[in-house]
Amino acid sequence: MTVLDLPSALRRSPGDEPSGVGPSGVRLPRVPVRAARALFLVSLAGLTGLMGWLAFWLCRLTVDDAFISWRYGKSFAGSGVWDWNPVVAGSGLPRVEAYTNPLYAALSIVPAVAGWPVEAFFKAFGLLLLCGGVAVAAVLRDVPRHQRVVLVAVMAANPVFVSHFFHGLESGSFALFIALLYGVLYRRGRLGALGRTAAVLVALSRPEGMAYAFAAVAWAALANRGDRREVRGAFAVAGGLAGYWALRAWWFGRLLPHTYLVTSGSVDASGVVRQLVHPVLPVLGTLAGGAVLCAFLWRRADARRCREQDGGARAARGPGPRAGGRGPLPLQDLTPVVPAALTCGIALVFYPLSALHMDVGNRFFWQLTAPVALVLLCRPLKGRRLPGGARATDGAAPKWAAPALGLTGVAVLHFQGMPGVDPTAVVVGGSAAVVAALVLWGRTATPLLAAGSAGLMLAVSAIPLESLVGGMTYRFHLREAHEELGRLMARDPTVRGLVGTGDAGVLPYALNEHQQAVDLGGLADPYRADPGGIPREVFAQHGAAVVVPAGGPDEDRNWFGTASSRTVVDHVRKEKWTYSAGLPFGGAYWLNVFVRPGTGERFLRELKARRPAAERANLSPERIGWTYAEAHRWDFPFLDDPVR
């Protein structure tokens, strides 16, 4: 049965047998079964209500970087070309791959073509994914009720989990797709159509998703090497993903994603070597290697025992459920170790080598750790007795899940020094996972696996409350500064041409449909890898305005000291472009502007008139905190499209 196999999932779960005569002829009591079912339904209702309350408050959280991906849909709808900028004859700007989430970038075409507010569209999409994940967890009827309650609780009652489905970035969907991919493989031992679809979704969600997708299809092919259909499906998925990677490399002219080059371009070979010899990696490698070795030894011993018992008849059937109701084979039981090992490698080696921006809600480490916890809980942890004394499972799942729990727990303990996380929660949650793993390897104590998995989710989801509240109010300040500045600029017909901005996001998205922008040193800077930055002649010929993030209203120096920003700011100052204080985002964060001489009169006039309102909204002492959030409880900025 698959994770989403709803018809069979709605069958009776362990403990749901109706009252009457049991297998031994003893009449079963009716009241305890009904009471357990009622308690289960009440628990789900309470958790659903809590999730709805959290969603009401957290739905306003939007990360500015999300508009970088959404601008691709807007540009494609306007010019029919896949690029961050619409095509303008003679501009000469090269293509740039500024997104980390190809899936969301492609999906942004829908609201752009339909004329819907892009922000509201993606919040509705995130809510649909969140509700779908919780609903699937609730109807896994072969999983005991108490385990399903834990699985739903780590999602629905977790503010950080809920928030990741509303901020516009791919963290929530990425984690859910990884859980779906390895959950299907863990529950039934093969991928099938659903698992292969999940592999594609994972690969197209983030660049590191390619590793999770290729590992899953390879593991499925290894576990089902006697099944030609499964092996062919694995090769088809791998070939399709390789073709996509080659296509994007040809279109953008880079083998590696531009976002990776931007965030890790300053890392030299010695930094890579230092991360590869990290002190904790040998321990994790030993644990993972030992688990895999034990699984193969167990498999060989089981096959030998089969040959001795029935002359090899059972062994000839290949991978799959074993006779006598003893559950899946070791490779299927060991499936959670695969995402756990990948999580450790990426989180401890590659993420520290990158300058990870906009890490809202600890999202980079959360999106890799949370799926491991969900996968561990998506399969029955303890067998139930069947007529004749057999068991549906033999307790193998918790035992072989222990290496995955231990691997991830050790990695989580390493997160203790990361900014933005609660060190106490990291220590408690990571230690709980490690202790549970050690005990589980010696004995089958299924509550420990649930507790350890919940500990993993707690450790990566424990961020300061002020961070969540700040995220809820962040969008209001963004509306009064970046978004409003882009709207004012778009309304002036004389401001036409290239707009340089040092903090790309909603500001370029709010520009006119056919107006180009250049990100001065950010993810969308096509000249980031060039030593001289943007060529001076490009901006001298096509430039219309420059937005300068600065520390105050009278500063004309761009915060970002990259080659592109230095080139552009030096040029406009030398050419004596018209300078004006802009709008404040915060006390020490202003968006000041330069415009080409003889243009932008209406824009500068409206900018000056708008400044007092922006100062009241963004510079007042109570502009952050719960009081500010409560004052805006019925204010939903995402319902109003930035382009209007």
Side-chain angles (χ1 to χ4, degrees), residues 54-433:
L54 291 173
F56 171 79
W57 287 105
L58 296 172
C59 68
R60 278 157 277 228
L61 196 162
T62 303
V63 178
D64 195 26
D65 281 10
F67 286 94
I68 295 177
S69 298
W70 299 342
R71 182 169 160 86
Y72 280 84
K74 177 187 173 184
S75 298
F76 184 82
S79 62
V81 176
W82 188 248
D83 194 11
W84 191 63
N85 275 309
V87 175
V88 176
S91 65
L93 287 178
R95 303 186 189 109
V96 59
E97 186 181 21
Y99 51 79
T100 57
N101 47 354
L103 188 63
Y104 274 28
L107 196 59
S108 66
I109 298 175
V110 176
V113 172
W116 300 334
V118 63
E119 202 174 348
F121 173 83
F122 276 94
K123 291 192 184 294
F125 179 71
L127 180 62
L128 181 65
L129 288 178
L130 175 63
C131 293
V134 171
V136 169
V139 300
L140 293 175
R141 299 299 294 272
D142 62 329
V143 176
R145 292 194 190 99
H146 70 275
Q147 185 180 330
R148 278 184 278 161
V149 169
V150 174
L151 185 56
V152 171
V154 297
M155 295 189 284
N158 186 342
V160 173
F161 193 101
V162 174
S163 71
H164 282 306
F165 287 87
F166 291 108
H167 55 48
L169 299 176
E170 69 283 355
S171 300
S173 59
F174 184 48
L176 207 60
F177 291 151
I178 292 176
L180 174 63
L181 171 61
Y182 285 93
V184 168
L185 190 54
Y186 188 37
R187 285 172 60 84
R188 67 179 193 178
R190 59 187 183 87
L191 288 178
L194 178 62
R196 289 190 285 271
T197 302
V200 173
L201 293 175
V202 168
L204 297 182
S205 293
R206 282 191 62 85
E208 58 266 41
M210 282 284 177
Y212 285 87
F214 276 107
V217 297
W219 190 259
L222 178 63
N224 299 273
R225 52 189 179 274
D227 187 342
R228 293 184 178 180
R229 182 176 180 181
E230 189 71 12
V231 173
R232 285 197 300 268
F235 274 103
V237 171
L241 295 179
Y244 156 76
W245 196 264
L247 180 63
R248 55 146 297 280
W250 166 77
W251 181 253
F252 292 109
R254 297 181 186 272
L255 178 62
L256 296 177
H258 181 70
T259 51
Y260 171 77
L261 299 176
V262 169
T263 57
S264 60
S266 61
V267 178
D268 55 13
S270 62
V272 178
V273 173
R274 284 195 299 271
Q275 286 301 122
L276 291 176
V277 295
H278 193 283
V280 77
L281 290 183
V283 177
L284 298 178
T286 302
L287 289 174
V292 174
L293 178 61
C294 289
F296 277 103
L297 292 177
W298 184 20
R299 182 185 178 93
R300 290 185 60 185
D302 189 57
R304 185 169 55 252
R305 186 167 54 252
C306 291
R307 288 192 297 269
E308 294 174 353
Q309 291 178 354
D310 53 19
R314 188 174 66 170
R317 286 196 291 266
R322 289 175 288 180
R326 291 191 56 205
L329 287 171
L331 284 183
Q332 180 180 347
D333 289 335
L334 204 59
T335 295
V337 176
V338 180
L342 287 171
T343 294
C344 292
I346 294 173
L348 298 183
V349 177
F350 292 103
Y351 277 0
L353 293 174
S354 302
L356 303 177
H357 302 289
M358 301 302 286
D359 191 20
V360 55
N362 191 33
R363 73 181 188 97
F364 288 104
F365 294 105
W366 179 91
Q367 66 192 8
L368 301 185
T369 306
V372 178
L374 298 181
V375 170
L376 290 172
L377 291 171
C378 77
R379 208 175 96 179
L381 303 182
K382 190 174 182 179
R384 62 186 176 95
R385 292 211 172 270
L386 301 175
R391 279 184 175 273
T393 65
D394 60 357
K399 181 180 181 65
W400 291 101
L405 192 60
L407 281 170
T408 315
V410 173
V412 163
L413 288 174
H414 179 70
F415 301 163
Q416 182 182 0
M418 300 296 175
V421 299
D422 188 333
T424 302
V426 169
V427 171
V428 172
S431 300

Side-chain angles (χ1 to χ4, degrees), residues 498-501 518 520 534-547 567-568 571-572 577 596:
L498 194 59
V499 176
T501 174
V518 61
L520 303 180
I534 180 173
R536 189 181 301 270
E537 59 273 14
V538 171
F539 208 84
Q541 181 179 359
H542 301 285
V546 178
V547 180
T567 300
V568 170
H571 168 75
V572 298
W577 283 29
R596 183 182 288 275

Side-chain angles (χ1 to χ4, degrees), residues 360-631:
V360 55
N362 191 33
R363 73 181 188 97
F364 288 104
F365 294 105
W366 179 91
Q367 66 192 8
L368 301 185
T369 306
V372 178
L374 298 181
V375 170
L376 290 172
L377 291 171
C378 77
R379 208 175 96 179
L381 303 182
K382 190 174 182 179
R384 62 186 176 95
R385 292 211 172 270
L386 301 175
R391 279 184 175 273
T393 65
D394 60 357
K399 181 180 181 65
W400 291 101
L405 192 60
L407 281 170
T408 315
V410 173
V412 163
L413 288 174
H414 179 70
F415 301 163
Q416 182 182 0
M418 300 296 175
V421 299
D422 188 333
T424 302
V426 169
V427 171
V428 172
S431 300
V434 173
V435 171
L438 293 175
V439 176
L440 283 169
W441 187 250
R443 56 177 299 182
T444 303
T446 54
L448 283 176
L449 182 56
S453 302
L456 291 179
M457 192 70 79
L458 167 68
V460 293
S461 300
I463 66 172
L465 180 61
E466 55 268 23
S467 297
L468 275 179
V469 177
M472 292 162 52
T473 60
Y474 172 83
R475 183 62 180 90
F476 302 131
H477 305 303
L478 199 67
R479 177 181 59 186
E480 300 297 333
H482 300 69
E483 181 179 346
E484 187 62 26
L485 188 62
R487 285 174 169 173
L488 295 178
M489 196 173 291
R491 287 204 289 262
D492 191 335
T494 66
V495 182
R496 287 293 176 269
L498 194 59
V499 176
T501 174
D503 194 4
V506 65
L507 195 158
Y509 190 91
L511 296 175
N512 284 313
E513 182 181 7
H514 299 291
Q515 191 159 13
Q516 290 190 321
V518 61
D519 186 2
L520 303 180
L523 297 177
D525 182 1
Y527 302 98
R528 180 66 182 264
D530 299 339
I534 180 173
R536 189 181 301 270
E537 59 273 14
V538 171
F539 208 84
Q541 181 179 359
H542 301 285
V546 178
V547 180
V548 180
D554 299 322
E555 294 187 22
D556 61 355
R557 294 182 180 274
N558 196 309
W559 274 354
F560 303 95
T562 61
S564 291
S565 64
R566 286 195 299 268
T567 300
V568 170
V569 173
D570 289 347
H571 168 75
V572 298
R573 292 172 68 186
K574 180 180 178 181
E575 298 297 322
K576 300 186 183 306
W577 283 29
T578 306
Y579 170 78
S580 173
L583 301 177
F585 178 78
Y589 184 3
W590 280 68
L591 297 171
N592 303 326
V593 296
F594 290 94
V595 294
R596 183 182 288 275
T599 66
E601 181 179 349
R602 173 184 174 181
F603 163 65
L604 294 175
R605 184 174 62 250
E606 293 184 349
L607 180 64
K608 183 178 180 180
R610 181 65 185 173
R611 193 177 303 135
E615 292 178 355
R616 287 193 301 270
N618 286 356
L619 299 182
S620 58
E622 65 277 3
R623 67 185 185 87
I624 59 175
W626 184 250
T627 303
Y628 190 87
E630 283 189 314

